[in-house]
Amino acid sequence: MVWLQKLFTKTNNDNSFNANDDNRDWVSLNPDKFGNSQIYFSTHEEIDLYELEELCDSVGWARRPLRKVKKALEHSYLVVSAWEVRGNKKIMIGFARATSDHAFNATIWDVVIHPRFQNKGLGKVLMQYMIRKLRSDDISNVTLFADPQVVEFYRRLGFILDPEGIKGMFWYPD
């Protein structure tokens, strides 16, 4: 079974923490909400598909074929992961990705925060980080798809439903 996991895992990452990595953006947290947690965002961290699947399972998302998740990550414009550091170990506690035309538009997908960190402001900070990264690449139109229970969360971040009468349309195979 280990060979199957290695097939869908980008690295043999043992989740050990290397404090010398400069590709981390440390998050300033309210100690009243987060205790002694040390959390950082990364756009360079290798994503273990099984760890991502566990994170998605923690919020009740339906399972997706790992080969398709891997392909989606490979073709994403921006992938951001959030990590909690405990001693010399790191644990993925958040994730989001975006696709883009590399010029005008980006769509954010798969925003997930571990339940232990929800309702503490980490999702808001992750979304602000995503938008800041996209805007730094001069992408001005950012869209996303939201389940009904999280529409208000995105509305508080400045997203609006049906701007200027634009209607999203979908095509699905029969």
Side-chain angles (χ1 to χ4, degrees):
M1 200 63 159
V2 171
W3 67 272
L4 183 62
Q5 183 174 359
K6 287 182 179 179
L7 178 67
F8 289 108
T9 304
K10 285 187 175 182
T11 68
N12 291 328
N13 185 357
D14 64 357
N15 279 359
S16 60
F17 176 70
N18 175 3
N20 296 324
D21 190 338
D22 292 332
N23 291 320
R24 295 188 171 103
D25 290 314
W26 292 92
V27 181
S28 297
L29 301 169
N30 180 341
D32 294 336
K33 292 183 180 180
F34 290 94
N36 294 329
S37 290
Q38 294 182 332
I39 295 174
Y40 68 89
F41 295 150
S42 177
T43 58
H44 295 87
E45 205 73 52
E46 293 289 335
I47 304 297
D48 179 307
L49 297 177
Y50 286 93
E51 190 170 9
L52 178 58
E53 186 72 16
E54 285 179 27
L55 178 60
C56 294
D57 282 347
S58 76
V59 296
W61 286 6
R63 290 193 173 238
R64 301 178 292 183
L66 290 180
R67 66 179 173 73
K68 287 185 146 190
V69 173
K70 180 180 180 193
K71 190 173 188 176
L73 291 176
E74 290 169 348
H75 292 279
S76 292
Y77 178 78
L78 175 65
V79 175
V80 175
S81 50
W83 300 85
E84 179 187 31
V85 177
R86 289 189 193 169
N88 65 351
K89 295 280 187 190
K90 60 185 168 84
I91 301 161
M92 189 181 344
I93 59 167
F95 176 86
R97 68 184 185 92
T99 53
S100 177
D101 62 9
H102 297 240
F104 302 104
N105 305 293
T107 301
I108 297 174
W109 304 93
D110 301 331
V111 179
V112 60
I113 298 290
H114 191 280
R116 192 163 52 91
F117 293 91
Q118 290 179 3
N119 300 310
K120 295 181 178 183
L122 188 61
K124 176 182 178 180
V125 176
L126 176 63
M127 286 299 297
Q128 290 169 337
Y129 185 83
M130 291 283 296
I131 292 167
R132 191 168 52 252
K133 287 286 192 186
L134 293 168
R135 293 292 296 133
S136 73
D137 288 342
D138 203 26
I139 294 172
S140 55
N141 299 317
V142 180
T143 60
L144 57 77
F145 295 90
D147 290 331
Q149 67 270 21
V150 293
V151 166
E152 189 54 37
F153 167 76
Y154 292 113
R155 188 176 279 142
R156 288 191 308 266
L157 293 173
F159 287 86
I160 55 176
L161 291 172
D162 204 10
E164 301 174 19
I166 296 171
K167 298 288 183 188
M169 299 180 75
F170 302 87
W171 179 91
Y172 294 105
D174 291 333

